Amino acid sequence: MTGLPRRLRALPLRSRLALLVAMAVAVAVAAVAAACWLTTKDRLTEQLDTTLSQVKPNGDTIRLLQLGCSGQLPDDLRLLPTPYTIQLVSATGTDPCTQPDKTAIPVQTEDRAVAAGLRQSAVHTTEAEDGTEMRVYTSTPTPGGQAGVAVSVAMPMDQVTDPLKELALVLLLVSGVGVVGAGAAGLWIARTGLRPVDDLAHAVAHVAETEDLTVRIPVEGEDEIARLSRSFNAMTESLATSRDRQSQLIADAGHELRTPLTSLRTNIELLARSDDTGRAIPPEDRKALMSSVKAQMTELAALIGDLQELSRPDAAQPGPLQVVALHDITRAALQRARLRGPELTITAELAPWYVRAEPAALERAVVNVLDNAVKFSPAGGTIEVALHRGELTVRDHGPGIPAEDLPHVFDRFWRSPSARQLPGSGLGLSIVARTVQQAGGEIALTPAEGGGTVASIRLPGAPTPPPEV
C-alpha cells in the first residue's frame, strides 16, 4: 500500500491530477452502477414475487395434483400446461407432491411452517433438484383445500438474472467509457490549468540562469494562479530594487571612501618621502599632517560604521527593543552636542516620554539630528530642543534647506551643495530615518519661520516602567 503513493508522487503534477480525477470518477461511477444494479434487482425480484403471489391454485387443481402424485389420476384428466412449478407441501414432513413433468423443489422450514398454519406465506430462493435457481412463494391453500397442506408456486430466476446480467454488461461498458473520458478530460484540464504554472517555472529557470530580474508574468483573472503570478512579479521587482540599491550603495560608498583615502594616502606619502630622503618636515607642518591623518582615520572609521549600520536588512532590528526614556536619551545627546558646539546656545524643554526602541540606536539617531543642527548653525547661534507628548523637535537658525532638496535629505550619501564642504558622509539622516521607522515613528524636516530648519521626530509611547526599588 505504501508503494502506490510513492509512485503517484513520482508522476508529474498534471498526470497525478488526471489520475486522481479518473479515480474519483471511477469510484463515483462504480457507486452509481452498484446502486442501479441493486435497485433493479430488488424491483425485478419484487415484481416476480407479486406475480407468484397472484397465482392461486383452486381446490380442483390441488385434488388433481394429489391424485397425480398418488398415481390415481385417470389418463383422460391432466393438469393444463403452465410456466409455474406447483407442488404441495405437507406439515408432517412427507415428500412434497410436485406437478407432473416438473422438477421437485427442496422444501424449506418456512414452507412447512405455512403448511402447519404458523405463517400466512413465505417467499425464498432455492435450487431445484436439477440445479435451476427458483423463486418460491408458499401460501395456504384456497378454501376447501386440505388442512395441513401448503401450496408452493415457483418460477425460474432467469426472469431476474438474465436482465441483471445484461444490465451489468451495459453498466460496465458505460463506466469504462466514462472513466477513460474523465481521465482524458482531467489531463486536458490539468494541462490547461497548469499552463500558468509552467510559465512561472520557465520564468524562474530563466531568472536562475540569466539573473534577469526584469522578467514579468502576465496576470489574468483573480484565482490562485493569478495571485501566485502577482507574488512572483512582486518578488522579482523587490529583488531588482534591492539589487539596484545595493549597486548604488557600493558605488556611493566607493565614491565617498575615495576622498578620505586619497587625502590619507597623500599625507602618508609625504611622511614616508621625508623619512626616505632625510629631509625633515618642519614640526608645525608635521603636526598638521599627523592631525590630518588622524582626522581622515576618524572619518573613515565613522563612514565604515555608517556603512555597517546600513548594510543590515531593513526588517532586521539592531538589538532587542526595550522601554527607554526618550527624555534621558535626549539629555545625554545634548551633552555631546554642547561639547561639539561650545560657542552655541542650546536650550531644552523635555517632558517625560517613554518609547519602545533599541537604546544605543535611538541615542545615535538623536545625536545625529543634534550634530546636523550644530553643523549648520552660525557661530553664536541658538538651537532649541523640545520634547512634548512624544514629539522631539530640534530647531536651528542656520541657512535652512532649499525646497527642492527636502525630498532627498533622507537618501543615502545625498548632500546638499552647501554641505559638501563640511565633514560628513551623507548617511546620518538615512540612519536616523531607519532607526525611527524601526521604532514605529516618523521623522520630518521642514523650513522654520525666520530661517533655519526644524527636525521633528514622533515616536509612539510605551507603558511607563515601574520605579526601581
Side-chain angles (χ1 to χ4, degrees), residues 18-72:
L19 183 59
L20 290 175
V21 169
M23 291 174 61
V25 172
V27 172
V29 169
V32 172
C36 179
W37 189 87
L38 292 174
T39 302
T40 303
K41 178 183 178 182
D42 291 341
R43 293 295 178 267
L44 290 176
T45 304
E46 182 180 355
Q47 183 178 1
L48 180 58
D49 293 343
T50 302
T51 301
L52 293 176
S53 65
Q54 292 176 351
V55 178
K56 297 293 185 180
N58 54 29
D60 294 337
T61 301
I62 294 175
R63 284 192 294 272
L64 290 175
L65 184 58
Q66 290 175 337
L67 291 174
C69 292
S70 62
Q72 301 177 4

Side-chain angles (χ1 to χ4, degrees), residues 153-420:
V153 181
M155 284 190 69
M157 285 291 292
D158 296 347
Q159 300 184 38
V160 176
T161 56
D162 290 348
L164 287 178
K165 291 178 181 179
E166 295 179 1
L167 178 62
L169 180 60
V170 171
L171 290 176
L172 182 62
L173 294 175
V174 173
S175 300
V177 173
V179 171
V180 173
L187 185 59
W188 179 79
I189 293 173
R191 288 180 177 177
T192 304
L194 293 178
R195 187 174 294 114
V197 178
D198 292 337
D199 297 339
L200 179 60
H202 294 324
V204 172
H206 175 75
V207 172
E209 293 176 359
T210 64
E211 297 185 0
D212 180 13
L213 296 177
T214 61
V215 176
R216 298 293 183 270
I217 300 177
V219 179
E220 298 179 359
E222 297 293 335
D223 55 5
E224 292 79 1
I225 301 298
R227 291 198 296 269
L228 181 61
S229 301
R230 290 192 186 92
S231 299
F232 175 81
N233 292 338
M235 180 190 68
T236 53
E237 185 176 357
S238 298
L239 288 175
T241 302
S242 177
R243 187 172 66 179
D244 293 342
R245 292 175 62 185
Q246 183 181 17
S247 301
Q248 186 65 35
L249 176 62
I250 294 173
D252 293 340
H255 177 75
E256 292 294 329
L257 287 170
R258 186 179 296 111
T259 300
L261 284 175
T262 302
S263 177
L264 184 62
R265 177 182 178 182
T266 301
N267 292 335
I268 292 176
E269 287 179 350
L270 289 175
L271 292 173
R273 187 181 303 170
S274 173
D275 293 338
D276 293 340
T277 60
R279 297 179 180 178
I281 300 176
E284 293 184 357
D285 293 342
R286 186 178 182 86
K287 183 178 180 181
L289 282 176
M290 294 301 296
S291 299
S292 177
V293 169
K294 291 180 179 179
Q296 297 299 332
M297 293 288 289
T298 301
E299 184 176 350
L300 280 175
L303 180 57
I304 291 173
D306 291 342
L307 289 175
Q308 289 178 337
E309 176 70 22
L310 290 174
S311 65
R312 284 193 291 263
D314 292 339
Q317 295 288 351
L321 297 181
Q322 305 175 16
V323 177
V324 295
L326 181 58
H327 49 282
D328 291 341
I329 289 179
T330 305
R331 288 194 186 97
L334 284 171
Q335 294 178 1
R336 298 171 61 177
R338 290 189 176 99
L339 293 177
R340 296 180 183 182
E343 77 284 359
L344 301 175
T345 301
I346 302 178
T347 63
E349 295 182 2
L350 306 178
W353 190 258
Y354 293 90
V355 298
R356 186 179 295 276
E358 198 279 320
L362 184 59
E363 182 175 356
R364 182 176 184 181
V366 176
V367 168
N368 284 346
V369 173
L370 292 175
D371 281 348
N372 272 354
V374 170
K375 187 188 303 181
F376 291 101
S377 293
T382 302
I383 298 176
E384 302 165 2
V385 181
L387 174 59
H388 179 66
R389 299 183 65 84
E391 182 176 4
L392 175 64
T393 58
V394 178
R395 189 217 194 276
D396 63 59
H397 294 267
I401 302 175
E404 63 273 12
D405 293 341
L406 284 175
H408 307 286
V409 293
F410 297 111
D411 294 344
R412 297 173 180 178
F413 296 105
W414 186 88
R415 302 177 71 187
S416 64
S418 60
R420 290 174 184 170

